[in-house]
Amino acid sequence: QEHLAESGGGSVQAGGSLRLSCVASGLSRKWYRMGWFRQPSGKEREGVASLATGAPIYADSVKGRFTISQDKAKNTLYLEMNSLEPEDTGLYYCAAAPGYDTSLRSVHYTSWGQGTQVTVSS
């Protein structure tokens, strides 16, 4: 059974940084697309970054500030977030699905973590 567990959220001031981690277990297929999503309070979930077999992709709102990476030996996905803005506040989710290509669409993911809260104050 696939399981994802996020950590690393917290409260920071604008301009600060955070690194989110997502430990994955039970991913038995050879190739997976991995993604980070966020959901601000009262708003829809949106894709932030995705990583698969090629280059990662990012939402326009986070390009140049966020970096997605993974350590396959540790079964861990990361999201390095720099120059944080109040608009980055939300519940951040890690997601996975068997596949070769990247996607920022939540419908393309089959497994989800419980989320970790990120709050950025001005």
Side-chain angles (χ1 to χ4, degrees):
Q1 185 175 358
E2 297 175 350
H3 184 259
L4 304 173
E6 306 94 336
S7 63
S11 296
V12 297
Q13 290 191 326
S17 299
L18 283 173
R19 187 176 79 158
L20 305 183
S21 299
C22 171
V23 178
S25 60
L27 303 187
S28 59
R29 306 286 184 90
K30 185 173 183 180
W31 302 108
Y32 279 83
R33 75 168 62 89
M34 303 295 295
W36 285 100
F37 289 75
R38 66 186 180 190
Q39 187 166 18
S41 180
K43 297 185 179 180
E44 292 187 356
R45 190 175 300 186
E46 61 176 352
V48 173
S50 176
L51 181 65
T53 58
I57 61 172
Y58 299 92
D60 288 343
S61 59
V62 306
K63 281 181 182 176
R65 300 188 299 121
F66 289 13
T67 302
I68 186 172
S69 63
Q70 64 181 2
D71 184 335
K72 290 189 174 181
K74 296 182 178 179
N75 294 322
T76 302
L77 182 74
Y78 301 100
L79 185 68
E80 186 76 35
M81 306 185 295
N82 298 312
S83 301
L84 283 162
E85 304 168 353
E87 293 74 21
D88 296 317
T89 294
L91 191 59
Y92 280 69
Y93 297 91
C94 171
Y100 302 96
D101 55 346
T102 53
S103 176
L104 294 179
R105 298 183 63 193
S106 59
V107 294
H108 291 158
Y109 291 83
T110 54
S111 296
W112 294 84
Q114 292 299 307
T116 185
Q117 179 67 36
V118 172
T119 302
V120 184
S121 58
S122 58

